[in-house]
Amino acid sequence: MTSVLSKGAKVKIELPTSMATVKVFVFVVANQYFSIPTNVINQVKFVNNDAIIEKEKYKYVIIENESIPVFKFSDVLDIKNDCQNNNKNQKETMIVIEADNIKIGFIADRIVGDQEVLHNKFNPPIIKLNLISGITTLISGDLCLILNASGLVNVMYNRSENFLNHVESTKYIETNKQKSVLIVDDSISIATYIKNIFKDTNLKTDTTFNVY
């Protein structure tokens, strides 16, 4: 630091080579701060508890006709969380992370928002942690762990891959069963003609003639 009277002061800070700035999305789990680089976040949305489907001990949501597995950050990170929302009528805060063309939804207690922070990487032996890539200090002065998005997605996807394959095939069958067309006309010939139009489709067709 250098200072010149009536001109001001100049502060020079040298950062270690192991540190770099990164834009992250900050959220809270069990009153602790965590963050994920913004470039791997597909979307952040609020979902109703009743929209989270639970089957065979797995949870998932349907977003734009795609089944996305859902996990709670507290379960993934093995953190005791007394702030979890168990009310089916309330909404959960879900962060959808996309890495290696895989999407996984993670439930957080609340979101803080974007911040540009210094990414301080860990040194051995902590560097071997699969789910955590570093640590930073937020504007508020709180310590915040930076999560390894690729590690998170790969670990949780491997847990649910077989189940998701089953869900996708079941969803396809159920979707086909639900699609049907009811043809109503007082003329049998017209109704039959229209039914033949749908003959080469996957739609189930029914006809009725007694409309009065």
Side-chain angles (χ1 to χ4, degrees):
M1 177 176 177
T2 58
S3 178
V4 178
L5 184 64
S6 301
K7 290 187 177 181
K10 181 187 293 185
V11 178
K12 183 179 180 180
I13 300 176
E14 293 185 2
L15 298 177
T17 56
S18 60
M19 297 179 67
T21 59
V22 59
K23 192 172 184 179
V24 297
F25 188 81
V26 184
F27 55 92
V28 176
V29 177
N31 296 318
Q32 299 180 47
Y33 289 96
F34 296 90
S35 63
I36 293 176
T38 56
N39 64 330
V40 297
I41 294 180
N42 178 272
Q43 59 181 298
V44 178
K45 65 184 302 177
F46 297 101
V47 295
N48 291 323
N49 270 320
D50 55 8
I52 300 176
I53 305 166
E54 185 170 0
K55 191 173 184 180
E56 299 178 14
K57 297 182 180 180
Y58 290 94
K59 295 180 179 180
Y60 65 97
V61 294
I62 305 296
I63 300 178
E64 297 178 354
N65 296 320
E66 183 178 4
S67 299
I68 297 178
V70 177
F71 299 92
K72 291 185 177 180
F73 270 119
S74 55
D75 295 336
V76 175
L77 302 172
D78 196 19
I79 301 173
K80 183 180 179 182
N81 190 3
D82 297 326
C83 306
Q84 295 187 86
N85 176 17
N86 296 316
N87 189 339
K88 290 186 177 182
N89 295 322
Q90 293 186 1
K91 294 186 176 182
E92 297 277 17
T93 304
M94 184 174 71
I95 303 171
V96 180
I97 301 174
E98 183 174 2
D100 302 323
N101 295 320
I102 300 171
K103 296 177 185 176
I104 304 285
F106 293 93
I107 302 296
D109 293 344
R110 64 183 176 88
I111 57 177
V112 177
D114 297 349
Q115 287 192 27
E116 190 164 342
V117 299
L118 288 174
H119 186 176
N120 187 10
K121 296 182 179 180
F122 290 125
N123 295 318
I126 303 178
I127 195 173
K128 294 182 180 180
L129 291 175
N130 188 34
L131 303 183
I132 301 173
S133 65
I135 191 169
T136 189
T137 303
L138 301 178
I139 297 173
S140 60
D142 295 291
L143 290 177
C144 174
L145 289 175
I146 301 174
L147 301 181
N148 177 4
S150 182
L152 276 172
V153 168
N154 288 326
V155 168
M156 304 319 294
Y157 183 80
N158 289 336
R159 291 188 189 180
S160 56
E161 183 176 11
N162 292 333
F163 169 73
L164 279 178
N165 291 334
H166 170 71
V167 168
E168 289 295 336
S169 60
T170 303
K171 185 180 68 173
Y172 176 77
I173 294 172
E174 289 177 350
T175 302
N176 283 343
K177 287 182 178 178
Q178 292 174 353
K179 290 183 177 180
S180 61
V181 176
L182 176 62
I183 303 168
V184 181
D185 200 285
D186 58 352
S187 170
I188 296 177
S189 59
I190 293 178
T192 304
Y193 173 77
I194 296 174
K195 182 177 181 179
N196 288 333
I197 294 176
F198 292 95
K199 185 177 180 180
D200 295 329
T201 69
N202 292 325
L203 298 173
K204 179 182 177 182
T205 56
D206 292 306
T207 57
T208 182
F209 312 108
N210 298 322
V211 294
Y212 298 106

